[in-house]
Amino acid sequence: MEKLRKIAQNMDLFAKTAYGICSAFVWVCSIFAVLLLVFGEKMVSEGTAGLDLGAYSFEFAQGYMPFAVVKSRMVLGLIFAALLLIFVCYVIRVVRQILQPMAAGKPFDSAVSGSLRKLSWITLIGGGILSAVQLAGELVIYHMYDLETLFLSEKIAGVTTNCNLDMTFLLGFALLYLLSCVFRYGEALQQESDETL
């Protein structure tokens, strides 16, 4: 039990530090997004836009991508990063609600199973939203860079996109929900044991 308590204390300290770092980066991303909207071209040095497709990087000719499109992509990227970090901060808070009773030597406290159940639903909802946003982002890039006509030549007959919705978050949801049921059962056994004594 003492070993579990020390591990939980160390993990809680790590989670507290990660929460502070994520919170700071939320502000950094938000400030940069506002500055980019206000100052725009003064902040971004003149250069060429590029696109990464797996192991291949493409650099576009000067003027192919208007600066307004590049700026909107950067601002949306910063906003998405800030929202993702806010979500991560919330997840860390829930994880700390699980770790704190364990660090106090009470692994079968009622807060643990409830927080695990909450974390399972966060995984389901957040994973679904993140997968949908990634899919939408791939489609936006496809249309923004006009990939349909960009690669067409006499050697290429057509360009298609294969977008897949990542469903691995369902496994995370199932495992966390099952773990919450195990801890709820442990709570019931602990309560019976305490009442017997």
Side-chain angles (χ1 to χ4, degrees):
M1 182 65 95
E2 185 62 27
K3 191 173 182 180
L4 174 69
R5 198 172 66 77
K6 286 195 173 192
I7 290 171
Q9 285 174 342
N10 291 335
M11 289 176 72
D12 187 48
L13 181 63
F14 176 76
K16 186 177 181 181
T17 305
Y19 182 84
I21 292 169
C22 287
S23 298
F25 274 104
V26 167
W27 286 105
V28 168
C29 289
S30 303
I31 290 168
F32 270 106
V34 170
L35 288 174
L36 194 59
L37 279 173
V38 174
F39 296 110
E41 291 184 41
K42 293 176 185 172
M43 285 187 65
V44 180
S45 63
E46 278 297 315
T48 56
L51 174 66
D52 292 326
L53 298 174
Y56 304 100
S57 294
F58 299 93
E59 192 172 307
F60 297 118
Q62 193 74 29
Y64 174 74
M65 290 291 291
F67 182 74
V69 174
V70 174
K71 182 175 91 169
S72 64
R73 181 179 175 207
M74 291 173 73
V75 169
L76 286 173
L78 287 167
I79 291 170
F80 177 72
L83 290 174
L84 185 63
L85 286 168
I86 289 170
F87 176 73
V88 169
C89 286
Y90 181 68
V91 169
I92 291 172
R93 280 182 52 203
V94 174
V95 167
R96 289 195 71 209
Q97 290 172 359
I98 295 167
L99 292 172
Q100 286 170 348
M102 290 183 174
K106 302 174 187 172
F108 294 112
D109 190 82
S110 61
V112 174
S113 68
S115 295
L116 275 169
R117 195 174 316 110
K118 187 191 294 185
L119 189 60
S120 70
W121 286 105
I122 291 169
T123 303
L124 179 67
I125 295 166
I129 291 171
L130 186 61
S131 293
V133 166
Q134 284 176 335
L135 181 64
E138 289 176 10
L139 293 172
V140 165
I141 286 175
Y142 180 79
H143 292 292
M144 183 179 6
Y145 289 110
D146 196 20
L147 295 181
E148 194 171 333
T149 58
L150 182 66
F151 294 112
L152 287 183
S153 72
E154 59 275 355
K155 295 179 182 177
I156 299 174
V159 176
T160 59
T161 180
N162 297 318
C163 297
N164 297 316
L165 192 62
D166 184 17
M167 303 295 278
T168 53
F169 63 91
L170 293 174
L171 179 63
F173 164 74
L175 289 174
L176 287 169
Y177 196 81
L178 180 66
L179 198 57
S180 76
C181 292
V182 169
F183 273 85
R184 196 172 343 130
Y185 183 67
E187 286 169 28
L189 290 177
Q190 182 73 42
Q191 190 175 1
E192 284 179 19
S193 173
D194 291 345
E195 287 171 359
T196 304
L197 292 173

